[in-house]
Each structure stands twice: as structure tokens, then as C-alpha cells.
Amino acid sequence: MNSPALSLRHNHFLNGGSAVASGIRLARSISSSSTSSSPFRVRMSLQENGPSVAVVGVTGAVGQEFLSVLSDRNFPYRSLKLLASKRSVGKSMKFEERDYTVEELTEDSFDGIDIALFSAGGSISKKFGPLAAQKGTIVVDNSSAFRMDENVPLVIPEVNPEAMAHVKLGSGKGALIANPNCSTIICLMAVTPLHRRAKVKRMVVSTYQAASGAGAAAMEELVQQTREVLEGKEPTCNIFNQQYAFNLFSHNAPIQPNGYNEEEMKLVKETRKIWSDKDVKVTATCIRVPVMRAHAESVNLQFENPLDENTARDILKNAPGIVVVDDRASNRFPTPLEVSNKDDVAVGRVRRDVSQDGDYGLDIFVCGDQIRKGAALNAIQIAEMLL
């Protein structure tokens, strides 16, 4: 899929609900939320003194979103190299009115590259990430390959920018920086401001994860399955081994010996690393739901210090990268559709946990665009911090 950003657009359903109208399509997004208040925003573009940038896995959903975010934020660069597997070599792509040719990823791809944005899978990152770093490239990796490596910072710019303070662009020293898992980013964007005030002792997370988390092919299959099911046909199940349209199921990540799947354990382990708190208690249940893009999460918090819901709401309203959607009178709260193609993470359903005494517990509901803040935007904010 070649569009810089992907979204589900639907115009109407045929009368009687017998089939999905042809208006359902995957298309380039033309919207993105305002990020003018972000301390990481940069207003520059192609310039001779900018860094040389490479995008690895450029033909994938996140790779395409890298390009979209680079353009939206006018990220400064003096050159841009687009890298992918051999099957995409020679493909022509246009970026900011210039034509580029996709090159094959090889060991020589990073000569003269200052910053490399990786989203090509863990095995590719493990092979080429260290090679790039050895050549002086700062690698921002979107896979899980290096997240739990104690020598690799795991960074959400609004949460723990200090973790990468030792990495300097132009020092001649390459480095690896890891992007957290999308669910972790979306969760901690909302929870960290509250954690700073009242210290989270225990966090219970239930996720409702979109097709975008499994890539462009899964997004396409959800559209295809929707048509097939409404037309009374057997759904095509190439990406997942069961029907996805009009269904939900436990996240498809491998199950670990403790009964948790890998996605759930990422939330546990990454939270502890990002917060530098090995004692915080975290448990998670991750579910795949038939939403095109943008994950939702229900989060239950237990605090060491009291924090009432009104104070929590005020804290969230003033937190960078957060928008509060919490209108009880109108029953209006965050939805995946509303945050799709948006930079901000939306938080609502802020309420005291009535199962706990006093103001020591809260429930919140969080939605964030998995491809954007959950992947590409976070990586490019990391790159911006290097400038």
C-alpha cells in the first residue's frame, strides 16, 4: 500500500445492509491534528545543514506514515534515502514534490546517513540496526528488537526524554534508540502525568487494538472480509486464522508460558523500563477488534497518594500530546474513529474507582492512533530531539 497514511473512509452502506458500498476504501489521509503546542515541533524542511535521513521499510504502513509525519512537521533534512526489500527496488515514490527511487537495504545503505528510521520488522532491525550504528548512524527503531536491551534507551519524548540525553547528533557516534510498543505509548502518554502526581502502584490495562497494528495487509483484509461477510461469502483469512470482521479475539501475539501473550508482556516490561520502576505492578489483556486504525484502552489505576478525578482531569488537560474528551452529560468520550490520523491521544471516562477506598484509584479510557503517535510520530519526535 503506497499512500503516506491509511484510513478507513466509508460513505454509506447499501439499503438492507446486504453489502458494503463501494465507498469503503483505503485512502490517503488529508488530516492531522494540530501539534503547534508540542515542544518537539520543528518548522523547517529540505536544507543543506539538515541531517541525512534514511527510512527503512518505506513501503509498509508505518514506513509510509514516516513520510507523512516528516512532511507534516517539516522535519529538516539535506537528503532522504528510501530503503526496502529487494522486491520493492526500483519503485518510484514522490515525496514533497520530488521523485525518489526505492533502494535495496544492504550493509552499505548507511554510509553517510545521520538518522535512520526503521520499521521493517525485528529480524531486519537486529541485522541492520547495529551495522548502521557502527557507521555512525543514529537508529530509531520501531520494532521490539532492542526495547528491553539495557543499553538501548526506550523513549516516549513527552514521558522520558532524559533516557536519550547521551545520544548526540553530529558526534560521530552511532546509537540505537527504541520506540516502545504502540499500546505502551498510548497508555503511558495518558497515565504518566497522573503517575508523576500520585505514583501508580498498580495498573490494569485492557486494550482494543485495531487492524493497523498488524500492518497494511491486515487493514486491507478487514475491508475485504467486511464485504465478503455482508455478501454471505466465506471470509478470506490470510492474515489472521479466524474471522476478523464483526468479531473480536485475543491478540494474535504468541502466548507465553505464563498465559500472557507477548503484546501483554510488552506493556508490563516496557512500562517498568520507561518509568525506571521495576516494582510497579502492571497486568494487561490485549484484544484485537475490527477497527481500521487507532487503538483504545481501558486503564484502571491504583495510586500510592490520593488523586481525585477533578484534579486528574485538570492534569490531563495540561499534559502535552493529550486531549480530554470527557462529556458525561452528552455521553461523549474518546473513539478510535475520532483520533484516527490525529497526533494527540484522547482521554475520557475519568472517574474514581468505586472499588477502592478514598481517592486512591481511577478509571480512564484512552484512544490513540496506532500508526501515528503509536509508531511514526513518536519516532520522529525522537529524531527531532536530536536536532
Side-chain angles (χ1 to χ4, degrees):
M1 190 171 297
N2 302 327
S3 59
L6 308 169
S7 62
L8 179 66
R9 303 268 177 98
H10 60 90
N11 295 332
H12 63 278
F13 288 88
L14 297 180
N15 291 335
S18 59
V20 178
S22 60
I24 292 185
R25 59 193 176 91
L26 292 174
R28 174 172 181 170
S29 164
I30 58 172
S31 64
S32 63
S33 71
S34 172
T35 55
S36 59
S37 62
S38 170
F40 311 108
R41 188 170 178 81
V42 178
R43 299 300 301 179
M44 289 179 279
S45 191
L46 183 64
Q47 54 180 268
E48 291 183 4
N49 61 349
S52 54
V53 176
V55 176
V56 180
V58 70
T59 57
V62 175
Q64 289 287 284
E65 198 74 10
F66 279 147
L67 297 182
S68 178
V69 177
L70 285 169
S71 181
D72 288 347
R73 297 174 72 85
N74 291 288
F75 186 89
Y77 61 95
R78 71 172 180 272
S79 66
L80 181 66
K81 182 180 285 189
L82 306 186
L83 300 168
S85 62
K86 185 177 294 186
R87 66 177 178 271
S88 297
V89 171
K91 184 175 183 179
S92 180
M93 300 181 70
K94 186 177 288 291
F95 178 69
E96 294 192 335
E97 307 306 317
R98 296 175 182 86
D99 292 319
Y100 294 85
T101 300
V102 176
E103 302 176 33
E104 182 181 359
L105 174 64
T106 70
E107 294 182 3
D108 298 323
S109 295
F110 303 99
D111 293 339
I113 296 296
D114 296 317
I115 299 172
L117 305 169
F118 272 64
S119 188
S123 61
I124 297 296
S125 293
K126 286 179 181 178
K127 178 179 179 181
F128 290 99
L131 287 172
Q134 288 170 11
K135 294 192 174 188
T137 302
I138 298 176
V139 174
V140 184
D141 182 47
N142 193 55
S143 79
S144 60
F146 308 108
R147 288 174 185 158
M148 298 315 299
D149 186 325
E150 62 181 14
N151 297 314
V152 176
L154 183 65
V155 178
I156 305 172
E158 295 90 342
V159 173
N160 64 329
E162 68 282 353
M164 55 175 284
H166 62 287
V167 181
K168 304 294 184 184
L169 189 66
S171 66
K173 295 182 179 180
L176 296 168
I177 303 173
N179 228 24
N181 186 47
C182 52
S183 297
T184 306
I185 292 173
I186 292 165
C187 179
L188 296 192
M189 281 289 293
V191 176
T192 300
L194 307 178
H195 173 61
R196 287 172 178 153
R197 173 65 68 90
K199 195 176 191 322
V200 172
K201 292 174 58 179
R202 183 171 186 262
M203 179 168 70
V204 181
V205 186
S206 299
T207 72
Y208 313 89
Q209 297 185 221
S212 57
M219 298 167 76
E220 292 174 327
E221 184 164 289
L222 177 56
V223 174
Q224 181 180 357
Q225 281 194 10
T226 301
R227 292 194 182 103
E228 291 169 340
V229 171
L230 288 175
E231 291 170 0
K233 300 176 182 177
E234 283 293 315
T236 300
C237 299
N238 293 327
I239 306 301
F240 304 112
N241 61 4
Q242 56 190 308
Q243 181 177 323
Y244 191 15
F246 306 100
N247 192 23
L248 56 81
F249 45 81
S250 180
H251 194 281
N252 49 296
I255 301 294
Q256 306 299 290
N258 64 1
Y260 286 73
N261 62 44
E262 284 185 359
E263 190 80 0
E264 293 158 349
M265 291 309 299
K266 287 175 184 177
L267 261 165
V268 175
K269 295 176 181 178
E270 291 177 19
T271 297
R272 290 172 176 168
K273 180 175 179 177
I274 291 167
W275 281 355
S276 299
D277 185 353
K278 60 181 175 54
D279 296 322
V280 64
K281 295 178 171 61
V282 181
T283 186
T285 301
C286 295
I287 303 296
R288 189 74 77 182
V289 297
V291 170
M292 187 53 61
R293 64 183 284 168
H295 292 349
E297 302 180 6
S298 171
V299 185
N300 175 263
L301 300 168
Q302 181 181 357
F303 297 108
E304 185 174 296
N305 303 304
L307 178 63
D308 67 85
E309 62 183 42
N310 291 326
T311 302
R313 200 174 287 108
D314 289 339
I315 290 171
L316 291 167
K317 286 178 180 178
N318 290 291
I322 293 292
V323 59
V324 174
V325 183
D326 200 39
D327 186 348
R328 295 180 181 179
S330 300
N331 198 21
R332 181 173 178 268
F333 304 104
T335 68
L337 194 60
E338 287 180 311
V339 300
S340 291
N341 305 302
K342 303 292 177 60
D343 289 351
D344 289 339
V345 171
V347 186
R349 300 300 316 279
V350 182
R351 62 203 188 277
R352 185 178 75 85
D353 176 1
V354 297
S355 73
Q356 299 186 53
D357 294 331
D359 290 320
Y360 288 88
L362 285 175
D363 286 294
I364 62 174
F365 188 70
V366 186
C367 287
D369 188 309
Q370 175 274 329
I371 304 179
R372 204 152 179 105
K373 181 54 184 171
L377 172 62
N378 196 80
I380 288 164
Q381 285 177 308
I382 289 172
E384 288 175 354
M385 292 173 62
L386 298 168
L387 300 176

